[in-house]
């Protein structure tokens, strides 16, 4: 489950030691791109209080919007598992695709052809400059894990996803799974 080499499609699990960081505390990030110029990911387990209809009124659906990360939070991004329907998307890996024709996507949602297990919307993204993520890995800020859910992760990840991943790691991590989000309040 734990991987050694960074590559797109993997999961970054926030180390329990990331306390007080509002963006990344207890985050699970899907790494959408990783190359010599930097990395991009989306936090997949932090739903916001908005739905797609709140932000795009002509979309007749109540799909949740997630906090994708602290970068460009005024922009809407999406990942999906239906490239045969949503054109111009880019494969991340394992049947997960990023972006595509947004007008077409709105029409597909409104016609009922896209379900909430097919698509995930984010405000913002998480980004790292060249070698920044590697340095954070060396300082033990993240645990790198294989995405065993593949394209089903879109419907799987919930607010309890970080705890589930920490429990899977076992060992000393089990203690952290039931700790309060801010141990200073305990």
């Amino acid at each position: 489950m734990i991987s050694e080499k960074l590559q797109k499609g993997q999961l970054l699990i926030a180390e329990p030691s990331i306390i007080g960081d509002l963006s990344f505390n207890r985050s699970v990030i899907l790494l959408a791109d990783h190359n010599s110029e930097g990395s991009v990911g989306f936090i997949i387990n932090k739903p916001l209080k908005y739905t797609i209809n709140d932000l795009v009124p002509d979309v007749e659906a109540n799909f949740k919007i997630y906090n994708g990360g602290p970068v460009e939070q005024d922009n809407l991004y999406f990942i999906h598992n239906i490239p045969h329907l949503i054109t111009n998307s880019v494969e991340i890996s394992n049947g997960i695709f990023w972006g595509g024709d947004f007008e077409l996507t709105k029409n597909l949602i409104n016609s009922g052809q896209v379900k909430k297990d097919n698509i995930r919307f984010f405000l913002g993204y998480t980004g790292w400059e060249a070698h920044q993520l590697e340095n954070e890995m060396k300082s033990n800020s993240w645990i790198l894990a294989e995405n065993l859910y593949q394209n089903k992760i879109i419907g799987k990840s919930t607010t309890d996803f970080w705890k589930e991943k920490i429990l899977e790691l076992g060992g000393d991590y089990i203690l952290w799974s039931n700790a309060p989000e801010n141990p200073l309040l305990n």
Side-chain angles (χ1 to χ4, degrees):
M1 174 164 115
I2 295 178
S3 180
E4 296 297 320
K5 184 178 180 229
L6 285 166
Q7 53 191 20
K8 63 184 189 173
Q10 293 175 316
L11 300 177
L12 296 172
I13 304 165
E15 275 282 351
S17 60
I18 300 181
I19 297 172
D21 185 320
L22 296 177
S23 293
F24 299 120
N25 186 25
R26 296 188 179 210
S27 291
V28 179
I29 296 174
L30 174 67
L31 198 56
D33 195 13
H34 177 75
N35 58 51
S36 61
E37 296 176 21
S39 305
V40 173
F42 297 104
I43 301 171
I44 58 173
N45 65 319
K46 296 205 174 189
L48 297 169
K49 294 180 182 178
Y50 309 109
T51 67
I52 187 65
N53 181 257
D54 293 331
L55 301 180
V56 186
D58 58 332
V59 175
E60 299 163 9
N62 61 355
F63 301 165
K64 286 185 182 279
I65 303 290
Y66 286 74
N67 176 1
V71 182
E72 294 188 14
Q73 288 200 320
D74 55 344
N75 286 334
L76 187 66
Y77 300 91
F78 63 98
I79 60 172
H80 60 88
N81 57 15
I82 47 174
H84 58 285
L85 294 177
I86 300 175
T87 58
N88 300 322
S89 54
V90 176
E91 186 169 22
I92 295 171
S93 74
N94 298 315
I96 303 169
F97 291 77
W98 177 2
D101 183 326
F102 190 65
E103 288 301 315
L104 174 63
T105 302
K106 291 189 317 186
N107 293 334
L108 291 167
I109 293 170
N110 287 340
S111 69
Q113 295 178 65
V114 175
K115 307 293 183 204
K116 67 180 174 181
D117 288 349
N118 299 128
I119 198 163
R120 173 75 51 103
F121 290 95
F122 304 95
L123 278 178
Y125 67 90
T126 303
W128 295 267
E129 294 177 354
H131 308 293
Q132 183 182 1
L133 182 54
E134 288 87 347
N135 291 334
E136 290 182 16
M137 296 294 298
K138 288 176 188 171
S139 67
N140 295 321
S141 295
W142 302 102
I143 302 160
L144 186 62
E146 186 179 346
N147 174 12
L148 300 175
Y149 307 98
Q150 299 188 8
N151 69 1
K152 304 254 186 294
I153 199 164
I154 292 170
K156 166 72 178 125
S157 49
T158 64
T159 54
D160 294 330
F161 197 48
W162 180 86
K163 181 176 179 175
E164 290 173 29
K165 300 309 291 176
I166 289 295
L167 285 170
E168 287 175 14
L169 293 170
D172 292 339
Y173 289 107
I174 291 175
L175 293 171
W176 285 99
S177 68
N178 288 317
E181 191 163 340
N182 184 346
L184 300 175
L185 299 177
N186 193 10

